[in-house]
Amino acid sequence: MAKTINKTAPATKKTASDLNNWYIIGLFAVITIIFFWNNLFGGMFFWEDFVEYVYPTQTLAAREFGKGVIPFWNHFLFSGMPFIADLQVGFFYPFNRLLSLFVDSEGMLSVWWLQFIIILHFFIAQINAYYLARTLKISQIGSIISAVSYSFSFLMVLHVIHPMIIEHLAWFPLVLMLFIRGIDENRFRWAKYSGLVLGMSMLSGHPQITLFQYLFLGFLSIWHLGFVLKNKTFENKFLMKNIVVMIIPFAISAGIFMIQYLPSQELANMSQRAEMNYQKSAEGSMEVKQILTAITPKLFGYTDGSRDVKVPFFLTNTKNEPQPYFYYWETGFYFGLTALILGLFGAIIGFKNKYGAFFIFAIVFGILYSLGSNGFIHQIFYNFPLFNQFRNPARMMLFAIIGFSFLSGFGFDYLKENVKNPLILKKIIIAASIPMLFAILISIGFLNNALSIPDPMVSDIQGYGAISLFIIIVIFALMFAINKGLINFQIAGYAFVLIIMIDMITAGSGFNQSESNPADEYAITTEIKDSFKPKNKNNIFRVNTRSYNPPYMAMKRNQGMISEIHLIEGYNPLVLQRVNPAVSDVNTILDLQNTKYRINIDQQAGQVGFVESPSYFPRAWMVYKTNVFGKNEVESKMKAGTFDFKNEVVLEEKPNLDLPENIDESRKSKIEVLDFSTNSSKYKVKSDENGILCFSEIYYPAWNIYVNGKKTDLLRANYSLRAVAIPKGDNIVEMKFESTAFATGMWITLITLIVSFLDLLYLNLFRKSKLQSNSEN
């Protein structure tokens, strides 16, 4: 009698051979430590955006929160801009707020602890992925294979420099586990837990990954409904409840996210990235030939923290144009040959399994979308709301990584359940032969011309192909041995885990190893810091540290946040549309921005220094003449006209106060700064006549202004700055950051959390009471 293939995954009940879960958690800790050993103990550091953006922003956030302040405004870059509204700061993400514990007496955040918090999420990811796999009825060893493959995939490893992505991905398997339990068991409780975890992870601050995760859950909901409807054994009441269970995680997570989303949306609408065309959104598309990096991850070279690599990244697009070096991490997705081959095997065997089939769909969709402009799916989704706001469609390979990682767990179990089954060997050969064939072709150089591999790199690329071929042969040998009953499946399973570790460490661990300590990169002399850091609130000023012609930066772009220096430059993905006053003369712009010290480059002597400007404006000054232009004409009028900004101001609306008809330089005014802090400032102003108090502060609608305790209209002045009408006499003027968007979002978040926790408490108490009643009966 012919043998059949067992396609049913085993139950999750613990078997005699299973280890205690604490041992598994310990194993995940060991794997994480080994992978990041040099970062934890070897004096190596993360690099790129971790240095340029993450370290300074988290330093400022940790420093301010340690003082008990929520920093709504950032005075230290671009002449001022919103801070917590910048979603990628992730201010409300709980793990980020732990960082305040690691700020020293000088206000510097510990680089080691910042790296540790990020590394910790790889450990969290493994635990969450493991329990998701167990929920999917994957065996213990199969679950370990799935967990390690997912957690050390390139989408995770290559984005350590963007920790907000890591933090999203680390929690998503737990979100999926709870979501699946909710829809499979038709239980509100699991759905609510799923929403709470998803909402927390969304606060880490990467809206594109949030959108992709919502899409994944949406597809999974539709997939599940299809199976429910196909079954035809449900009641209408069950179906309606099941739909509500699906909606709950979206509703709760969205509610939790409102404290961040509403302020961030306000900022996004005023930023330079508010609009994005299709060409821009397609940046970071995966090339079709990059699919082969699932077999040989360094097929097109690589880049890493050393900045001195043997085979530099050399990918070209369909027009044979070289792609920028950062495409290495923006389009990288490698998840290991073990997950690839076991995943292919799992797909071949388990395509009729509900979740196996869904993972196959996820893989296909993820690959097609990631092709971006080289495919058609991204172009379709670009026409949908939200999808047209992001670049780097290759990040959708998240779907494929999830699919292969968990299909590999299924694949291992199918091997275990079909020992000595002759029908299975054909499936094993098919699964292994596809990557084996391409590895052979790469290793012998057959694809060199097709892949546009430069001649100097041919030997190294063929060597990488040979390494891939060797690993594939070992994986195939293990699968063959399991099928023939030549090796204990547990020994084989842990051998697979060892292969994954070696494979992923070899492929990716070097990426995050830079010898340069970020704290050292931001080190400046005490003399410079003392000169540029304002000491007197009545003498606050800004500093210009960057030249564009010739190009030169005297300090790091975000030095201001580290050293508390008010800069007119910075580095941030979201820059306000109106930053500089709309005048053509650079010196006038710098004067209006309160720039006291300016970079000075002597090209003949080859020297760089700073000069003090004699004409810079103070933070606040009085004028008595206004020029009012409409919103749509103010920019052109300012650039075309000549204005004496010390005595007149350009406004976009008429002030509600009568002003003198002519300029009289004998008029006197006195301005004293009473207080200047992160979220407010206070001034004592004395003026002989009604006038306009101008500020060298960037206009933003969340700022409110009060004159003698009464809220007054905040005017947009000189295109990008602030002003307020002041009556003659003595006045107290106070500016406060009071965001309606934040207040609304905060209340929605608080109500969502309170209602969710009270409801869960009720459900748990009701469940406990019901169980106790049943036991008594």
Side-chain angles (χ1 to χ4, degrees):
M1 183 177 179
K3 284 196 174 185
T4 59
I5 298 173
N6 185 353
K7 299 180 181 180
T8 304
T12 55
K13 290 182 180 179
K14 187 174 180 180
T15 65
S17 60
D18 281 353
L19 297 174
N20 185 293
N21 282 334
W22 286 110
Y23 290 110
I24 306 304
I25 292 172
L27 174 64
F28 293 150
V30 170
I31 293 172
T32 305
I33 290 170
I34 291 173
F35 194 92
F36 289 103
W37 181 269
N38 287 334
N39 299 101
L40 292 170
F41 309 110
M44 291 294 184
F45 302 92
F46 300 155
W47 64 301
E48 237 284 334
D49 270 359
F50 177 83
V51 178
E52 298 293 333
Y53 178 80
V54 176
Y55 178 59
T57 54
Q58 293 306 330
T59 295
L60 178 58
R63 181 195 298 142
E64 291 295 308
F65 187 71
K67 298 175 184 176
V69 175
I70 298 177
F72 291 103
W73 193 254
N74 181 356
H75 288 287
F76 304 115
L77 75 164
F78 295 120
S79 301
M81 67 173 292
F83 185 63
I84 67 165
D86 177 1
L87 205 152
Q88 294 190 85
V89 171
F91 186 83
F92 297 104
Y93 179 60
F95 280 83
N96 283 344
R97 296 290 47 83
L98 292 176
L99 293 170
S100 294
L101 299 172
F102 310 111
V103 177
D104 65 20
S105 59
E106 299 295 321
M108 295 293 288
L109 174 63
S110 166
V111 176
W112 192 91
W113 279 106
L114 178 56
Q115 290 192 155
F116 177 81
I117 292 292
I118 297 169
I119 292 169
L120 179 63
H121 282 79
F122 285 79
F123 174 62
I124 293 170
Q126 290 172 89
I127 295 173
N128 290 336
Y130 170 79
Y131 281 106
L132 169 59
R134 296 296 277 161
T135 297
L136 294 171
K137 299 183 179 180
I138 297 173
S139 68
Q140 187 175 78
I141 298 177
S143 297
I144 296 171
I145 291 170
S146 295
V148 178
S149 298
Y150 172 81
S151 302
F152 292 95
S153 65
F154 270 19
L155 192 59
M156 291 276 286
V157 170
L158 301 189
H159 282 287
V160 161
I161 56 179
H162 305 128
M164 58 291 294
I165 293 180
I166 304 298
E167 290 151 358
H168 273 74
L169 300 183
W171 293 106
F172 192 53
L174 179 58
V175 172
L176 276 177
M177 184 201 85
L178 296 166
F179 186 83
I180 288 170
R181 290 199 65 174
I183 60 177
D184 281 353
E185 299 174 22
N186 213 15
R187 300 282 293 275
F188 291 137
R189 182 161 62 105
W190 299 121
K192 290 168 184 174
Y193 283 132
S194 179
L196 288 169
V197 176
L198 179 58
M200 178 198 67
S201 70
M202 288 162 61
L203 292 174
S204 63
H206 201 279
Q208 183 181 36
I209 298 299
T210 293
L211 180 63
F212 289 177
Q213 290 175 339
Y214 266 31
L215 183 64
F216 192 96
L217 293 175
F219 282 156
L220 183 56
S221 299
I222 296 170
W223 196 270
H224 171 77
L225 277 178
F227 271 78
V228 170
L229 294 172
K230 183 181 178 182
N231 194 30
K232 296 181 181 179
T233 58
F234 60 88
E235 298 178 357
N236 288 336
K237 185 177 179 181
F238 172 91
L239 181 61
M240 291 305 298
K241 181 180 178 182
N242 211 219
I243 292 173
V244 173
V245 167
M246 294 174 193
I247 294 173
I248 284 173
F250 293 94
I252 290 178
S253 61
I256 292 172
F257 190 48
M258 285 299 109
I259 193 172
Q260 182 66 70
Y261 174 76
L262 293 182
S264 297
Q265 192 59 39
E266 182 180 53
L267 171 59
N269 291 337
M270 297 185 67
S271 77
Q272 295 178 13
R273 289 180 62 177
E275 296 182 7
M276 185 177 295
N277 58 31
Y278 175 74
Q279 288 72 25
K280 192 74 173 175
S281 75
E283 290 179 3
S285 296
M286 186 174 71
E287 300 297 321
V288 174
K289 58 188 176 183
Q290 280 185 280
I291 295 173
L292 292 178
T293 60
I295 300 166
T296 304
K298 296 179 181 178
L299 182 60
F300 300 101
Y302 64 102
T303 186
D304 63 28
S306 71
R307 297 178 174 87
D308 182 22
V309 297
K310 188 177 181 182
V311 185
F313 187 63
F314 60 85
L315 180 72
T316 56
N317 61 17
T318 53
K319 299 178 181 178
N320 208 32
E321 298 168 335
Q323 303 291 61
Y325 73 99
F326 56 82
Y327 270 41
Y328 175 67
W329 60 76
E330 292 298 0
T331 59
F333 64 87
Y334 188 64
F335 43 81
L337 287 163
T338 302
L340 176 64
I341 296 171
L342 285 177
L344 287 171
F345 176 71
I348 293 169
I349 302 296
F351 64 92
K352 291 185 178 180
N353 175 287
K354 172 184 173 182
Y355 289 110
F358 176 74
F359 288 141
I360 293 171
F361 162 77
I363 290 169
V364 174
F365 177 85
I367 292 172
L368 292 177
Y369 187 101
S370 295
L371 293 175
S373 57
N374 300 308
F376 64 95
I377 298 294
H378 173 255
Q379 189 166 5
I380 294 173
F381 274 79
Y382 175 79
N383 297 303
F384 296 163
L386 302 178
F387 286 89
N388 57 7
Q389 296 183 16
F390 303 104
R391 299 173 299 165
N392 301 310
R395 290 175 181 168
M396 191 64 85
M397 283 301 288
L398 167 65
F399 281 42
I401 290 166
I402 292 173
F404 272 109
S405 296
F406 293 96
L407 279 174
S408 69
F410 284 133
F412 176 78
D413 287 357
Y414 294 139
L415 279 175
K416 185 183 71 170
E417 294 298 309
N418 291 279
V419 173
K420 295 185 178 180
N421 186 334
L423 295 178
I424 208 75
L425 184 59
K426 185 184 295 185
K427 313 292 184 181
I428 293 172
I429 293 171
I430 293 172
S433 63
I434 298 172
M436 187 180 293
L437 172 62
F438 282 105
I440 291 171
L441 295 176
I442 293 168
S443 64
I444 65 174
F446 185 80
L447 299 177
N448 288 351
N449 290 333
L451 300 177
S452 303
I453 296 175
D455 291 338
M457 301 177 186
V458 165
S459 178
D460 290 306
I461 299 302
Q462 289 181 213
Y464 295 148
I467 293 171
S468 298
L469 179 59
F470 174 77
I471 296 173
I472 292 168
I473 291 171
V474 173
I475 294 169
F476 173 73
L478 279 172
M479 295 174 72
F480 179 85
I482 294 172
N483 177 249
K484 293 298 183 180
L486 301 175
I487 187 173
N488 179 278
F489 78 90
Q490 281 186 303
I491 295 174
Y494 285 110
F496 280 132
V497 174
L498 181 61
I499 292 170
I500 296 169
M501 287 179 59
I502 295 171
D503 187 8
M504 300 313 294
I505 288 172
T506 303
S509 66
F511 177 79
N512 294 302
Q513 296 181 23
S514 169
E515 294 181 353
S516 181
N517 186 336
D520 293 339
E521 293 195 39
Y522 282 94
I524 58 176
T525 66
T526 303
E527 180 184 4
I528 292 176
K529 187 173 181 179
D530 288 345
S531 298
F532 291 166
K533 184 176 178 179
K535 302 177 186 64
N536 184 339
K537 58 179 177 284
N538 278 291
N539 186 28
I540 300 171
F541 56 84
R542 294 193 176 93
V543 180
N544 159 227
T545 64
R546 186 172 186 175
S547 166
Y548 292 91
N549 187 24
Y552 185 83
M553 289 191 297
M555 297 181 184
K556 302 291 288 184
R557 290 175 289 180
N558 281 335
Q559 184 78 48
M561 288 187 278
I562 297 291
S563 303
E564 297 181 283
I565 299 171
H566 295 212
L567 299 181
I568 63 168
E569 305 91 10
Y571 170 57
N572 191 289
L574 292 174
V575 179
L576 293 172
Q577 292 172 357
R578 297 193 185 187
V579 176
N580 297 326
V583 294
S584 302
D585 181 58
V586 173
N587 287 321
T588 302
I589 292 174
L590 294 176
D591 283 341
L592 286 168
Q593 289 177 324
N594 178 230
T595 310
K596 181 177 182 180
Y597 294 104
R598 305 174 186 184
I599 190 170
N600 180 58
I601 301 176
D602 187 335
Q603 291 182 278
Q604 291 184 341
Q607 294 179 341
V608 178
F610 290 90
V611 295
E612 182 175 344
S613 170
S615 57
Y616 79 99
F617 284 46
R619 277 295 166 96
W621 69 97
M622 288 292 300
V623 301
Y624 298 92
K625 180 183 177 182
T626 62
N627 303 275
V628 181
F629 304 112
K631 178 182 177 181
N632 297 326
E633 62 176 346
V634 63
E635 182 177 9
S636 59
K637 291 289 186 181
M638 283 188 68
K639 288 183 176 180
T642 301
F643 302 95
D644 177 12
F645 290 107
K646 286 192 178 293
N647 293 295
E648 55 185 317
V649 63
V650 175
L651 302 176
E652 296 177 29
E653 58 181 291
K654 188 176 180 180
N656 55 359
L657 197 66
D658 293 331
L659 300 180
E661 295 182 359
N662 53 22
I663 294 177
D664 183 354
E665 295 186 1
S666 66
R667 293 191 183 97
K668 294 181 180 180
S669 63
K670 182 180 179 182
I671 302 170
E672 180 184 357
V673 182
L674 301 178
D675 181 60
F676 192 92
S677 60
T678 302
N679 301 321
S680 66
S681 58
K682 192 173 185 179
Y683 305 83
K684 183 178 180 180
V685 182
K686 183 176 182 179
S687 175
D688 289 348
E689 297 284 351
N690 295 345
I692 302 296
L693 178 62
C694 300
F695 300 93
S696 62
E697 302 283 3
I698 299 296
Y699 177 88
Y700 194 73
W703 281 100
N704 288 327
I705 195 160
Y706 299 84
V707 178
N708 301 321
K710 183 180 179 181
K711 188 176 179 181
T712 308
D713 291 338
L714 180 66
L715 306 172
R716 193 193 289 268
N718 299 326
Y719 185 72
S720 62
L721 304 177
R722 306 177 210 162
V724 63
I726 297 292
K728 68 178 180 179
D730 293 331
N731 299 278
I732 299 296
V733 179
E734 190 169 8
M735 279 193 293
K736 299 178 182 179
F737 194 99
E738 297 173 324
S739 171
T740 302
F742 172 78
T744 303
M746 179 188 69
W747 281 111
I748 294 173
T749 296
L750 287 175
I751 292 169
T752 301
L753 288 171
I754 292 169
V755 171
S756 297
F757 281 120
L758 288 177
D759 192 37
L760 283 168
L761 180 63
Y762 168 77
L763 287 175
N764 285 328
L765 289 174
F766 177 78
R767 180 170 172 267
K768 188 176 181 180
S769 175
K770 188 175 181 181
L771 289 172
Q772 186 176 357
S773 176
N774 290 338
S775 64
E776 289 175 355
N777 294 333

